[in-house]
Amino acid sequence: MSKIYCKRCKEAVENHPACSVLCASRAREDRAPINKPIVWVLGGPGSGKGTQCDKIIAKYGFTHLSSGDLLRAEVKSGSERGKSLTAIMERGELVPNELVLDLLRDAIEAKIAESNGFLIDGYPREKSQGEAFEKTIAPATVIIYFEATGETLTKRLLGRAVSSGRADDNEETIKLRLKTFFNNNEVVLAQYPDKLKRIDAERSVDDIFAEVVSILDAIVKA
Ligand code: AP5
């Protein structure tokens, strides 16, 4: 059965005549439930989220939605919204959640019919992001967290900087990205003790993937 959401503040409003939750708007939208596995893929910058997601897509045919990639696409589009993002991302800070959540929701809805499941890469990065996603999109099925030290993350990102062309792959911004990540990470993870799978990401790509497979096989076969 579909659920009803307030079009303005995105809260579920059930059968109230107006959105009594936040904004009193009368604009509604119906949304079909998302009945596919949703995997949040978390870890510090350079922990290997993108690398592992590529392997997951190849094996499971999941749809990969990286919050960073969606934001970079918005910047590249030259839109007014994109222009305001560039400076935030170059400071290694988090962009406003409303925007990230809108991009994710649109991308999920566009692929829902054809997808085997969704990899949500790099989201949530704050406690409130996780809460907003589960309230307005769907609960996460499982959360995979790639754990690595700041030293390892820095080394990998500096290695990637040689060829990535990313504006935030430079020594100064990497420091800021790590700071933002470590400031928020444990609070985010603490919200989901039952869904969280921690993986030691200091090992080889293939060893890490073997552990990912054992987690995802259980979901796909369930
Ligand atoms: P985003 O694009 O998500 O970047 P990130 O989190 O900093 O992560 P990366 O994409 O840099 O690294 P990765 O973990 O995917 O590692 P990779 O596989 O490439 O976010 C960018 C910015 O967007 C944020 O700073 C923020 O401003 C904004 N943003 C994004 N999401 C947001 C949100 N939810 N809310 C608000 N703002 C948001 O690997 C890195 C390197 O290591 C590669 O060279 C790879 O070959 C190598 N490597 C990978 N695995 C291994 C291994 N096991 N051993 C050795 N090397 C390895």
Side-chain angles (χ1 to χ4, degrees):
M1 212 174 53
S2 67
K3 254 182 131 179
I4 301 171
Y5 288 82
C6 169
K7 207 164 184 173
R8 197 159 95 197
C9 73
K10 315 293 185 194
E11 289 287 330
V13 293
E14 307 301 342
N15 295 319
H16 301 297
C19 172
S20 59
V21 189
L22 278 183
C23 72
S25 162
R26 285 180 183 274
R28 308 291 194 77
E29 59 189 10
D30 279 321
R31 284 196 228 128
I34 293 166
N35 51 1
K36 305 283 171 79
I38 294 189
V39 181
W40 289 351
V41 181
L42 302 183
S47 58
K49 302 184 292 295
T51 303
Q52 294 295 325
C53 282
D54 287 346
K55 294 176 78 69
I56 297 170
I57 298 160
K59 185 169 169 70
Y60 296 95
F62 280 15
T63 302
H64 179 211
L65 299 175
S66 151
S67 51
D69 287 350
L70 291 169
L71 291 166
R72 279 184 289 277
E74 190 69 33
V75 169
K76 212 170 157 194
S77 75
S79 69
E80 279 309 310
R81 195 160 70 163
K83 281 179 201 153
S84 70
L85 297 178
T86 308
I88 301 175
M89 292 171 78
E90 285 182 3
R91 288 196 303 269
E93 294 170 2
L94 299 179
V95 311
N97 183 42
E98 203 178 310
L99 173 53
V100 190
L101 199 58
D102 275 353
L103 290 171
L104 283 173
R105 185 188 300 106
D106 289 351
I108 289 172
E109 285 174 359
K111 296 279 180 187
I112 187 73
E114 70 202 53
S115 181
N116 293 337
F118 292 94
L119 296 173
I120 311 295
D121 167 356
Y123 188 103
R125 295 190 190 222
E126 281 181 323
K127 184 179 165 196
S128 59
Q129 290 196 349
E131 290 166 350
F133 186 104
E134 292 206 309
K135 201 186 290 178
T136 67
I137 299 182
T141 313
V142 71
I143 301 167
I144 297 179
Y145 170 58
F146 295 116
E147 192 155 31
T149 63
E151 291 73 35
T152 300
L153 300 178
T154 304
K155 207 166 107 194
R156 287 187 191 165
L157 290 175
L158 289 174
R160 191 181 66 182
V162 176
S163 57
S164 73
R166 267 177 58 167
D168 59 354
D169 275 353
N170 61 73
E171 212 164 336
E172 188 154 333
T173 309
I174 288 169
K175 271 190 206 144
L176 299 169
R177 286 160 69 194
L178 287 175
K179 187 165 177 276
T180 302
F181 169 72
F182 284 115
N183 279 346
N184 292 300
N185 182 49
E186 283 305 327
V187 178
V188 173
L189 300 184
Q191 295 305 300
Y192 309 99
D194 300 336
K195 295 180 183 179
L196 181 65
K197 308 285 182 193
R198 287 180 186 255
I199 294 186
D200 172 4
E202 302 264 353
R203 298 170 296 157
S204 75
V205 169
D206 287 344
D207 283 353
I208 295 168
F209 188 61
E211 211 173 325
V212 169
V213 166
S214 70
I215 294 166
L216 294 185
D217 275 357
I219 291 178
V220 170
K221 285 173 191 154

